[in-house]
Amino acid sequence: MKKKAKRGLLPYLFLFLIMLTILYFVSNMNNKVNILSYDEFVVALNEGKIDEMDITPKSSARVYELTGKLKNYKDNESFFVRVPLSDEIVSKVLDTNDKYNFKLVTEPDPSSNSFWIVLINVLPMLILVGATFFIFTKQMGGANKSMDFGRSRAKLNEDSKKITFDKVAGLDEEKEEVSELIDFLKNPKKFQKLGARIPKGVLLVGPPGTGKTLLARAVAGEANVPFYYISGSDFVELFVGVGASRVRDMFKQAKHNAPCLIFIDEIDAVGRQRGSGIGGGHDEREQTLNQLLTEMDGFGANEGIIIIAATNRPDVLDPALLRPGRFDRQVTVNLPDIKGREEILKVHAQNKTFAKNIKLSNLAKRTVGFSGADLENLLNEAALLAVRRNKDKITMAEIDEAQDRVLMGPAKKSKKYTEKEKRTVAYHEAGHAVIGLKLDGANEVQKITIVPRGAAGGYNLMLPKEETYFSTKRELLDTISGLLAGRVAEETIFNEVTTGAHNDFEKATKIARAMVTEYGMSDLGPVQFEQNESSVFLGRDYNKSRNFSSQVAFEIDQEQRKIINECYEKTKKIIKENKDLLELIASSLLEHETLTKEQIDYLVENGKMPTDDVKEEKEELTLEQLKSLAKDKGIKGYTKMSKEELEKELDK
């Protein structure tokens, strides 16, 4: 490190010297120097025109150097003249200066000072040699980089040892799957004794943000072994053969540091299926993949090297990568369920301060479909909002706003509705709420707002009533009805339709199409007519296989339209039967602009909005939280009160 610091200072030192030289010459450019002849100097001296003069003897050149100013000179103007040492006029001036009546300064002979001689003669040479050395080292640095072109880009991550399974929440089954890797890295002899072969490679598959990289680092941290991190794109270069060279170098380093763990992120960048490209099978990416396959077969089962790779697209990987002996184990890292989300929220909430009425379990229920990264971002956004609002704690208002920002973007409060548009949006969103309340299989409305967000004029948070692994036909049909409810409400109230339901139609059409062509939930029978075939090079979902005739295609369209029409008529009937509820929710939206699930439920039961929101929040508090509030308010004898008594005292 010290050598690097010294080497880094040299260029700046030489640059400083060069700048000084330039400044010296620039400053001298503004000064005008008149070189006088000997005769002109004598005339000026005898006529008394000299105002001041400096005399510097130069014994090495056997001359006097005379500089000074004449009386008619400007401030930046001076003269210069050389006079032989043998000339008597200088001696005469020195002896009888009073006669001439001008300021006279005598300088010592520079040749008598050896330091200045060395400086004047050696400094230019030093600058020249230094500049040459600097240019040479820069060229050598570039050459070293070119020599280093084929070296592995894998980074040794020391921080991974600080990450353990305690910091990985919501992945209990996945941690069990990789726990035997930790046992092997800690005690390989136990496996060798029984002749067991630990998988050479483990492939982590799952959506983005689910914790694949974090899980791999936790394995290395639990085993306390070196953790090499590299991305699949780091192998691929412009020049053919560089990626293969980097693969060889990576495994060479790993063997020297075994036992160790290599993590390859986004392996689909280099591990895509071979032979599907347009340009043949000898491009750089395929050469890199071939080398990776060879190296994974090149080390033994118990050499202490384990490769963990992560991808979002296992369908595009080459089959040779997934065979036994290479990546022979796949671990699917799914989106967390409600229990997993609560555990993840607890991890990310450790360094944050929340209000007492915040329950992470309730927040976990409202974040269906969120990944671990989404949940971390949600709490971070809530904390940023609390700071922006000058609060010392994160309240439910910040969490609600943060969830809306994550899903739909910030609210566009400056965007103004016309009164007609506002009413239309209110009835549209109220229609979704009515179907969510009246149909068991429809998604439940958690929040409604008519404040514009993103590209949407209104926002309706609809979540399944329960988290399930599969959906029934009835649930799918009720979901379609819930999506169509906005358009039905517009048509029922205004006898007119708008473009606001286009996203609802898109989702409903996809569900209906899948019911007919993929799930076998139509009169065409349990037949799968379509399946997604993602082309490796032409893009995801570029085409679908269609193993049916044009007549069947016509029947598919009819069945799809039939499902949509039946759901539309069913929704229209429910909306008309519950028109009073629709009017109630819409009028409340027009007044308050935003309604939560609790407020909607209260509307259904009581026909009016709750007047004491604080009371609704207190009913959800635990006994300990109620006692804490009572203590803050100075209520006497709160420790002996029951939950009901505390609620009554707090209501007062």
Side-chain angles (χ1 to χ4, degrees):
M1 292 297 293
K2 292 182 178 179
K3 290 182 179 179
K4 289 183 179 180
K6 291 179 180 178
R7 189 181 301 172
L9 289 175
L10 283 175
Y12 297 103
L13 178 61
F14 288 122
L15 181 62
F16 176 71
L17 293 174
I18 292 171
M19 291 296 295
L20 285 179
T21 306
I22 293 173
L23 289 174
Y24 173 76
F25 283 112
V26 170
S27 62
N28 288 335
M29 286 175 63
N30 297 326
N31 297 325
K32 182 179 180 182
V33 179
N34 298 319
I35 300 176
L36 303 180
S37 65
Y38 179 78
D39 294 337
E40 290 173 338
F41 168 71
V42 172
V43 171
L45 181 65
N46 293 330
E47 294 180 355
K49 295 181 179 179
I50 297 178
D51 188 29
E52 61 180 61
M53 185 171 67
D54 290 355
I55 301 176
T56 305
K58 297 280 187 176
S59 58
S60 59
R62 302 188 64 78
V63 295
Y64 286 107
E65 288 187 352
L66 309 179
T67 60
K69 289 187 176 184
L70 300 183
K71 292 182 178 180
N72 60 343
Y73 277 6
K74 298 178 180 179
D75 292 340
N76 62 340
E77 195 173 1
S78 63
F79 69 82
F80 176 82
V81 63
R82 284 192 177 94
V83 178
L85 284 176
S86 58
D87 195 269
E88 296 180 355
I89 193 168
V90 176
S91 300
K92 186 179 179 181
V93 170
L94 293 172
D95 294 339
T96 59
N97 181 35
D98 297 339
K99 175 184 176 181
Y100 295 100
N101 193 25
F102 60 80
K103 183 181 178 181
L104 179 66
V105 179
T106 58
E107 303 287 348
D109 187 356
S111 61
S112 62
N113 194 332
S114 59
F115 171 76
W116 288 106
I117 295 175
V118 172
L119 183 64
I120 293 172
N121 292 297
V122 176
L123 183 60
M125 186 62 67
L126 286 175
I127 294 176
L128 180 62
V129 172
T132 306
F133 176 76
F134 174 68
I135 295 173
F136 181 73
T137 53
K138 290 291 287 183
Q139 293 293 330
M140 287 298 294
N144 289 335
K145 287 181 181 179
S146 64
M147 294 289 290
D148 200 35
F149 202 59
R151 295 292 299 275
S152 172
R153 296 292 189 267
K155 301 181 181 72
L156 182 61
N157 193 336
E158 297 292 342
D159 294 336
S160 62
K161 295 182 180 180
K162 302 177 183 178
I163 300 176
T164 60
F165 278 168
D166 295 336
K167 296 184 179 180
V168 182
L171 299 176
D172 296 335
E173 292 79 9
E174 290 80 359
K175 286 188 283 189
E176 289 180 6
E177 282 290 322
V178 298
S179 59
E180 64 184 23
L181 302 180
I182 300 170
D183 293 338
F184 169 72
L185 291 171
K186 285 183 175 179
N187 188 11
K189 292 183 179 179
K190 181 172 66 173
F191 293 86
Q192 295 172 2
K193 185 178 180 180
L194 295 178
R197 180 180 67 83
I198 287 295
K200 294 181 181 179
V202 177
L203 184 65
L204 302 179
V205 180
T210 50
K212 299 184 291 296
T213 304
L214 184 64
L215 182 62
R217 288 179 176 173
V219 172
E222 289 284 342
N224 196 23
V225 296
F227 178 81
Y228 287 94
Y229 174 87
I230 191 170
S231 174
S233 59
D234 289 335
F235 292 113
V236 182
E237 283 287 351
L238 175 65
F239 305 105
V240 176
V242 173
S245 175
R246 290 178 180 175
V247 172
R248 289 191 294 270
D249 187 67
M250 180 182 69
F251 279 91
K252 182 179 178 182
Q253 291 182 34
K255 289 176 182 178
H256 286 308
N257 293 280
C260 68
L261 191 147
I262 300 174
F263 178 67
I264 305 177
D265 198 8
E266 305 296 344
I267 194 174
D268 53 277
V270 69
R272 285 177 173 248
Q273 185 175 350
R274 295 168 293 177
S276 300
I278 299 174
H282 297 284
D283 62 345
E284 161 66 358
R285 183 187 54 75
E286 293 193 3
Q287 293 291 338
T288 306
L289 175 58
N290 291 336
Q291 187 63 44
L292 180 62
L293 295 174
T294 304
E295 290 291 340
M296 290 189 71
D297 264 348
F299 65 88
N302 295 317
E303 287 189 11
I305 302 173
I306 294 177
I307 302 175
I308 298 180
T311 182
N312 308 323
R313 295 295 309 278
D315 53 309
V316 302
L317 294 180
D318 194 279
L321 267 178
L322 306 179
R323 75 158 176 82
R326 290 183 178 130
F327 288 103
D328 44 8
R329 177 174 296 183
Q330 292 189 29
V331 177
T332 302
V333 185
N334 286 319
L335 293 171
D337 57 8
I338 183 171
K339 179 184 176 183
R341 290 196 298 274
E342 185 176 356
E343 293 175 359
I344 294 171
L345 287 169
K346 288 179 180 178
V347 171
H348 294 301
Q350 289 177 356
N351 61 341
K352 296 177 176 63
T353 305
F354 292 91
K356 294 180 180 180
N357 63 336
I358 299 297
K359 289 186 178 181
L360 297 180
S361 58
N362 292 340
L363 184 56
K365 295 177 183 178
R366 299 175 48 184
T367 51
V368 179
F370 276 52
S371 65
D374 293 331
L375 295 171
E376 189 275 335
N377 187 39
L378 172 66
L379 294 184
N380 184 62
E381 285 288 341
L384 292 175
L385 285 169
V387 173
R388 194 180 306 169
R389 296 173 179 178
N390 296 321
K391 293 185 177 181
D392 57 353
K393 295 180 180 179
I394 302 172
T395 65
M396 202 65 203
E398 282 74 47
I399 293 177
D400 281 338
E401 177 65 19
Q403 186 173 7
D404 294 341
R405 291 170 69 93
V406 170
L407 292 174
M408 299 294 295
K412 296 184 178 180
K413 297 180 181 179
S414 60
K415 184 176 179 180
K416 299 298 182 183
Y417 277 136
T418 64
E419 192 62 31
K420 182 179 179 181
E421 286 177 329
K422 191 173 182 180
R423 281 175 52 81
T424 303
V425 174
Y427 278 97
H428 179 103
E429 303 300 341
H432 291 302
V434 170
I435 297 300
L437 291 167
K438 297 302 178 181
L439 288 180
D440 294 335
N443 288 343
E444 193 172 32
V445 176
Q446 300 289 328
K447 183 179 181 180
I448 313 173
T449 179
I450 58 175
V451 177
R453 287 186 179 273
Y459 168 51
N460 199 321
L461 179 60
M462 302 172 66
L463 298 176
K465 292 182 174 66
E466 294 180 352
E467 289 187 63
T468 57
Y469 286 100
F470 53 85
S471 300
T472 64
K473 181 178 179 180
R474 180 187 173 187
E475 290 173 345
L476 292 175
L477 292 173
D478 289 350
T479 301
I480 294 174
S481 297
L483 291 168
L484 299 175
R487 166 61 67 85
V488 173
E490 293 177 15
E491 186 178 359
T492 302
I493 300 299
F494 303 105
N495 292 322
E496 190 178 4
V497 294
T498 67
T499 60
H502 68 93
N503 186 251
D504 297 331
F505 292 159
E506 180 184 354
K507 295 177 182 178
T509 304
K510 284 183 179 179
I511 296 174
R513 183 80 180 182
M515 290 177 65
V516 178
T517 61
E518 297 180 36
Y519 307 147
M521 295 180 178
S522 69
D523 293 339
L524 297 181
V527 180
Q528 188 178 55
F529 296 101
E530 293 178 351
Q531 64 184 39
N532 292 331
E533 285 189 352
S534 303
S535 178
V536 177
F537 291 94
L538 297 180
R540 176 182 291 188
D541 302 335
Y542 182 80
N543 58 351
K544 292 183 178 181
S545 63
R546 300 174 181 268
N547 301 318
F548 48 81
S549 64
S550 57
Q551 177 63 30
V552 175
F554 174 72
E555 294 177 3
I556 290 174
D557 293 339
Q558 282 187 317
E559 288 295 323
Q560 178 180 329
R561 192 176 296 111
K562 178 182 175 183
I563 291 174
I564 296 292
N565 290 336
E566 288 178 353
C567 290
Y568 194 87
E569 293 300 323
K570 180 180 179 181
T571 304
K572 186 182 292 186
K573 180 181 178 182
I574 296 174
I575 291 291
K576 288 182 178 179
E577 291 174 353
N578 297 275
K579 192 174 180 180
D580 293 340
L581 179 60
L582 178 70
E583 294 280 0
L584 178 62
I585 296 176
S587 60
S588 300
L589 266 177
L590 289 170
E591 181 181 355
H592 300 280
E593 291 191 337
T594 300
L595 297 178
T596 63
K597 180 180 181 300
E598 292 76 15
Q599 291 172 326
I600 296 172
D601 292 341
Y602 191 90
L603 273 174
V604 175
E605 294 178 6
N606 302 282
K608 61 180 181 178
M609 286 287 290
T611 56
D612 190 1
D613 295 334
V614 179
K615 181 179 179 181
E616 294 295 319
E617 291 182 358
K618 288 177 182 176
E619 288 177 355
E620 298 180 356
L621 299 180
T622 63
L623 180 60
E624 290 75 14
Q625 290 172 330
L626 289 171
K627 287 182 178 180
S628 179
L629 287 173
K631 180 181 178 182
D632 294 339
K633 290 193 174 186
I635 298 175
K636 296 181 180 180
Y638 69 91
T639 55
K640 299 179 180 180
M641 294 183 184
S642 64
K643 185 176 181 181
E644 291 76 13
E645 291 172 339
L646 282 170
E647 289 175 348
K648 290 180 181 179
E649 289 294 326
L650 289 170
D651 289 340
K652 294 180 182 179

